[in-house]
């Protein structure tokens, strides 16, 4: 299923605020509202003011067990670099500092050319890292099936309906461009949904486009957050999420889907694309490094050769009773069945659900 598909819209709730809008916009916004409004982990002692800390086994940064790291001459993406070992949340001011810890120190950005025009990596990627993305999908209401199940473009996976999400956080080296590309992709998707019908004056078409663009912008602001306040310290990366996005402090009773992927930033940084001068076929994958059957410098290897869109997730948190290999290996490209990601509830782990 494609992100923001009509079939998904029928399964999930609609934005009640859309009832008074024009029919063409109601239809597009309803599609958006449907999808926009982690071996088992355990909770460590939530000291240092932590709201919760969830740990993950080391040396499991191989997806379904077969994924292999790309071959890169700079050795900036080796086993352990994307190996998530803990996920935590701590209060800070008017928001929350989430923290992910990896098995190896984070590879920092350097003053190296990014393109033929002399643009340096440090000029573009100013957050201090460039090799990974971390997605966090949060099930706030804990009502099965009441939220969104689609993941961000390029993940080629979905969230289990039991942990359907209301809020998503995407930690990526290029938060601004990623948000721009996502907004443009979603806007084009809704315009396609509204295509057809009798010919109309250009003024009418332009007004509809503006309404759709504004509605997409509003709903993205409410549902997906791209952190720009980021701190990198050795193996740890901290990223700030304000209360106005989450609606208050995050709870250990919420469900969290946490997924790590490789970032293909240097290979996909394209001024023309970011400026909207180039059109993409399908959803823009938001700088995610893809996976394939064979290894290369810009893709993970070990994927099923029969899968045209393999899941490129490297490490995920999974709840007790299953393993990462089982979760990421449970798909069937012939049937169109994708990987389904379960949510982890930190407070449940703390009550002894996993030891």
């Amino acid at each position: 299923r494609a992100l923001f598909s009509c079939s998904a819209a029928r399964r999930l709730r609609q934005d009640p605020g859309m009832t008074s809008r024009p029919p063409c916009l109601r239809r597009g916004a309803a599609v958006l509202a449907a999808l926009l409004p982690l071996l088992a982990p355990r909770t460590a002692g939530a000291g240092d003011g932590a709201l919760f800390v969830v740990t993950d086994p080391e040396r499991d940064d191989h997806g379904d067990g077969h994924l292999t790291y790309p071959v890169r001459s700079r050795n900036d993406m080796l086993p352990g670099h994307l190996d998530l070992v803990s996920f935590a949340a701590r209060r800070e001011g008017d928001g929350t500092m989430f923290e992910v810890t990896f098995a190896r120190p984070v590879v920092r950005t350097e003053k190296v050319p990014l393109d033929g025009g002399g643009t340096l990596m440090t000029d573009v990627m100013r957050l201090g890292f460039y090799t990974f993305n971390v997605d966090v999908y949060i099930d706030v209401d804990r009502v099965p099936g009441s939220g969104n199940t689609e993941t961000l473009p390029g993940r080629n996976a979905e969230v289990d309906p039991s942990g359907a999400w209301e809020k998503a956080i995407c930690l990526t080296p290029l938060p601004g461009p990623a948000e721009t590309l996502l907004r443009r992709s979603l806007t084009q998707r809704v315009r396609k949904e509204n295509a057809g019908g009798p010919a109309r004056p250009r003024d009418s078409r332009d007004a509809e486009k503006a309404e759709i663009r504004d509605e997409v912008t509003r709903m993205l602001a409410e549902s997906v957050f791209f952190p720009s306040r980021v701190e990198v310290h050795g193996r740890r990366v901290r990223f700030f999420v304000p209360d106005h996005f989450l609606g208050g402090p995050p709870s250990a009773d919420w469900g969290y889907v946490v997924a790590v992927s490789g970032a293909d930033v240097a290979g996909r940084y394209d001024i023309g694309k970011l400026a909207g001068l180039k059109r993409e076929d399908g959803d823009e994958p938001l700088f995610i490094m893809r996976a394939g059957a064979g290894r290369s410098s810009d893709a993970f290897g070990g994927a099923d050769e029969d899968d045209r869109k393999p899941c490129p997730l490297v490490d995920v948190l999974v709840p007790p009773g299953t393993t990462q290999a089982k979760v990421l290996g449970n798909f069937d490209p012939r049937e169109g069945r994708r990987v389904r990601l379960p949510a982890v509830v930190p407070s449940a782990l703390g009550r002894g659900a996993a030891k």
Side-chain angles (χ1 to χ4, degrees), residues 212-277:
I212 291 174
R213 184 175 58 251
D214 292 345
E215 191 63 28
V216 169
T217 299
R218 180 188 70 81
M219 300 187 75
L220 273 179
E222 293 178 354
S223 303
V224 184
F225 185 77
F226 294 87
S228 58
R229 178 179 161 187
V230 179
E231 302 172 3
V232 180
H233 304 285
R235 298 186 300 127
R236 294 177 170 81
V237 181
R238 306 174 73 220
F239 49 101
F240 183 79
V241 178
D243 283 343
H244 69 74
F245 174 73
L246 290 177
S251 171
D253 294 326
W254 293 353
Y256 298 85
V257 173
V258 183
V260 180
S261 59
D264 185 5
V265 179
R268 298 188 182 279
Y269 180 72
D270 188 323
I271 293 293
K273 184 193 300 182
L274 297 176
L277 302 178

Side-chain angles (χ1 to χ4, degrees), residues 73-343:
S73 59
R74 298 184 62 208
N75 290 327
D76 57 357
M77 201 174 285
L78 299 171
H81 277 143
L82 306 188
D83 187 1
L84 179 70
V85 297
S86 72
F87 170 65
R90 293 177 172 82
R91 291 293 295 162
E92 182 167 310
D94 58 351
T96 299
M97 270 292 188
F98 288 94
E99 180 183 278
V100 290
T101 303
F102 297 98
R104 279 179 180 260
V106 173
V107 178
R108 304 298 298 266
T109 50
E110 299 178 1
K111 291 185 177 181
V112 296
L114 190 61
D115 55 31
T119 303
L120 299 180
M121 180 188 294
T122 50
D123 294 335
V124 177
M125 285 157 275
R126 301 176 179 178
L127 300 183
F129 70 97
Y130 69 97
T131 59
F132 62 85
N133 309 294
V134 178
D135 296 346
V136 183
Y137 304 95
I138 306 176
D139 178 11
V140 176
D141 64 13
R142 299 299 296 137
V143 177
S146 73
N148 312 311
T149 58
E150 289 296 322
T151 56
L152 295 171
R155 278 59 179 168
N156 300 334
E158 61 187 38
V159 172
D160 190 280
S162 64
W165 58 273
E166 288 77 36
K167 301 288 184 178
I169 302 166
C170 180
L171 175 65
T172 183
L174 291 170
E179 183 176 7
T180 296
L181 292 173
L182 180 59
R183 182 172 62 250
R184 184 175 299 136
S185 175
L186 300 183
T187 300
Q188 291 174 356
R189 178 73 62 83
V190 177
R191 286 176 182 171
K192 275 187 179 180
E193 291 289 332
N194 291 318
R200 290 174 296 152
R202 178 171 178 176
D203 288 348
S204 176
R205 298 197 307 271
D206 288 346
E208 179 182 306
K209 289 179 181 179
E211 286 186 271
I212 291 174
R213 184 175 58 251
D214 292 345
E215 191 63 28
V216 169
T217 299
R218 180 188 70 81
M219 300 187 75
L220 273 179
E222 293 178 354
S223 303
V224 184
F225 185 77
F226 294 87
S228 58
R229 178 179 161 187
V230 179
E231 302 172 3
V232 180
H233 304 285
R235 298 186 300 127
R236 294 177 170 81
V237 181
R238 306 174 73 220
F239 49 101
F240 183 79
V241 178
D243 283 343
H244 69 74
F245 174 73
L246 290 177
S251 171
D253 294 326
W254 293 353
Y256 298 85
V257 173
V258 183
V260 180
S261 59
D264 185 5
V265 179
R268 298 188 182 279
Y269 180 72
D270 188 323
I271 293 293
K273 184 193 300 182
L274 297 176
L277 302 178
K278 294 183 180 180
R279 288 187 176 275
E280 291 289 315
D281 294 327
D283 292 318
E284 166 58 44
L286 302 186
F287 307 114
I288 192 170
M289 182 169 286
R290 304 174 193 266
R295 300 173 71 188
S296 67
S297 62
D298 59 358
F300 290 92
D304 187 336
E305 61 182 10
D306 294 328
D307 192 352
R308 297 182 60 186
K309 292 185 176 182
C311 176
L313 301 180
V314 181
D315 199 357
V316 300
L317 293 182
V318 297
T322 189
T323 66
Q324 176 180 294
K326 289 181 179 179
V327 168
L328 296 182
N330 186 13
F331 64 94
D332 190 331
R334 293 169 298 183
E335 297 179 357
R337 178 165 53 83
R338 297 192 296 177
V339 167
R340 182 170 283 185
L341 305 173

